[in-house]
Every structure is written in structure tokens, then in C-alpha cells.
Amino acid sequence: MRRLLLIGGAAALIAVPSAALAQADEPVTETDPAAEEVVTTTTDKALHSQGSGGFRYEGSGAVAVSGEGVVWVRDLSQAKDLVKTPSGYARTKTSKDGTWTRYSGTGSLSLDGSQFVVRVRGTFTVDVDPSPTHPAVGRAWDRGKGETTLKGGVPWPFWSDQKIVLSSGPMAVDLFGRGAPRWFRDGQDGPRGHRGKPVIVRKVVVTRKYVNGVKVFSRRVVTERGWFQWHRRDPGATWRLNGPASGTVDIADIDGRLRVWDKSAAKDLAVTVPTGTTTTTLPDGSVVYSRLRDAQVRLAGTGFRMKAVAWDLEGTFTPAAGSLARSFVRGKGSFDTADFQDLRARKRDGARILLQPVAPK
């Protein structure tokens, strides 16, 4: 899982003065709501999605769909082992070979199979979880208005447009990039202590739903407010671990900074960094290790959170047996899990990954 660098890109990187890599470009006081936020709403399912718009899942496991609209299901398995249990839909259409089925109206649908794809359009609630015979391994996408939650995590809005991956560990990342936005919480006084631009984004959202089998369109304007500042020289690669995670992280190369939270009851997080690394303890108890250059870092613990932000980042995470973790990656490059290889991380939106405990064989 390696990348090819263009000669021009490498020359541009070499030409950057050393001042660009100074401490000023590595702020350690940035807010981190994804890690500090108290979880008030979560789910015990591998994936829970609820809203209006569209949803797609391709993989294995058990899927429960309910709501109003249209649902398409296609069996991709060689054994054709997909079990479908519909209820309440006004119309059902199945292909001659039985590989795909279309349901429309208001109802519910339960699916269980080894390889299938389900698409939902309308107003829906979807739960994905392992079944007694099939693990929940796959990828999901959503759009429209609503929220998606990974097991034990916080809800994220559809408009974040993040790829969702359900898999298991170990996990490996190979990320790089330059340029990133610094977002701040919206407030009357703006981002205190920071220079930023107030941004009001108005989006036109067109919703399509089905009422008694008839397609109905609605159009509305959504306003989003926030403060941000784009920094071309900021590190563009991000790797998070949450859960809290339990296991070991081996970073073979990092050019940037690392922030860790020890959430274990025993406070047993062990961090190994090179001599001379700048260390800063923040008010919330987290520790930032900055000015890391071509550094090797190792973490080991039974309950920790991690956020690595870098220009170049290569590392692996090996979860402890029977533990669950959530991850987020963003930047150029790719990442691997136990079930997927060379998945693109996406420079702006990123991807969220659920690393589930491996089922005993």
C-alpha cells in the first residue's frame, strides 16, 4: 500500500522553507469536539442510519429497513443465500432470475445474507448488524437530511458526506497531504483567540419521497453557519482512533503531531516517542506530541483515544482480542482493514470505520 510521488510535487515539497514547518503551523489548543463530546445518543447496532434522502449498503450481515419510499435489493452471492422478509409494502417487483427485488410504499424489510446490496430512497430507518450466520462487513453511503451512527459513537449528519466502512482489525494507514481547514464552533463573539472567517452556506435540498407509491418532491433551503480558516501549509492527513480503543498503535513514519487521551481506568497508556519531542498537556488531560519529523511512535493501552495530524503518516493499529474501536481517516492515500485493502481515504470528507471484534472460529 504505497504511493507514487510526482517529481514536480516532490520538488515543490522540497522547496518549502523550514519556517513552514515551525511550531506556529502546529496549534495544540484546537478544539476537538469529536473526541471531547459526551455521547448522549448512540446505538448498539454496528450501523444505524435515519433520515430522508438516500442510503446504500453493500456487504454482508443483517439489515433492517423501515419507512416510506422505495427499496431495491440485489443478491450478489454465488450461493444466492439472501433471505428477505418484507412486510407492509404496497408493491413488490422481482426480476425473472430472482436476483433483485423492488419494494415501494410504506413497510419494513429484513435482510440476511453473505453478499448483497440494498438501496433505499425516501424516509427511512436502517440498522446493520451481524447475524448468527453472517458478519456485518461492508460499505455504506448516505445523502440527504439525517444522521448516521456507528456502534457506541456519536451521530454524524448526512451532509458530512463520509464513506462508512464496517470491518474488523488490524488496520493500516498510508496517508499524506498538505492544506486543511481549521473549523471553530459558531458563537456570538466568533472564534476567540483565532482569526477566522464567518461563513454562512445556503444549500438547496431537494427531497424525493413516495406517498402511497407516488413520487413527491419537496424543495427547501438549508443554512449552515460556522467559522473557518484555510491553511495551505497545514498537515492534510488525519487519523483518529476512538472507542476508546484497546490495543497497540505502531506508527512507522509521522511528520506532524499526535494527540492522545488516556480513558482507561488503570491509566495504563504507554507512549513511546523520539527524544526531543515537544510535549504539551492540555486542560482536558490529553497530551500533544508535536514537532515529530520522520518519527516512529508506539502506543499501547486498554482504553485510549488518538488523533494524528500530519503531512505524512504511515502506521498500523492492532486491536486487543474481543475489543471494538472506531476510526476516522482523511487525506490523500489509502487504508487497509482485515476485509478491505487500498481503500481511498478521501482528501476532504474522509471515511469512518468500525473495527468490530473478530468472531471466534
Side-chain angles (χ1 to χ4, degrees), residues 215-233:
K215 185 183 295 186
V216 178
F217 291 87
S218 63
R219 182 180 181 276
R220 62 192 182 85
V221 178
V222 177
T223 301
E224 300 171 6
R225 299 183 60 196
W227 291 77
F228 87 101
Q229 189 175 32
W230 180 264
H231 291 259
R232 293 180 298 172
R233 294 179 176 176

Side-chain angles (χ1 to χ4, degrees), residues 262-280:
D262 189 354
K263 298 296 183 178
S264 63
K267 300 300 177 184
D268 58 3
L269 178 62
V271 183
T272 304
V273 295
T275 303
T277 301
T278 302
T279 304
T280 306

Side-chain angles (χ1 to χ4, degrees), residues 81-93:
D81 58 4
L82 180 61
V83 177
K84 298 170 285 189
T85 309
S87 175
Y89 289 105
R91 299 176 183 175
T92 302
K93 181 179 180 181

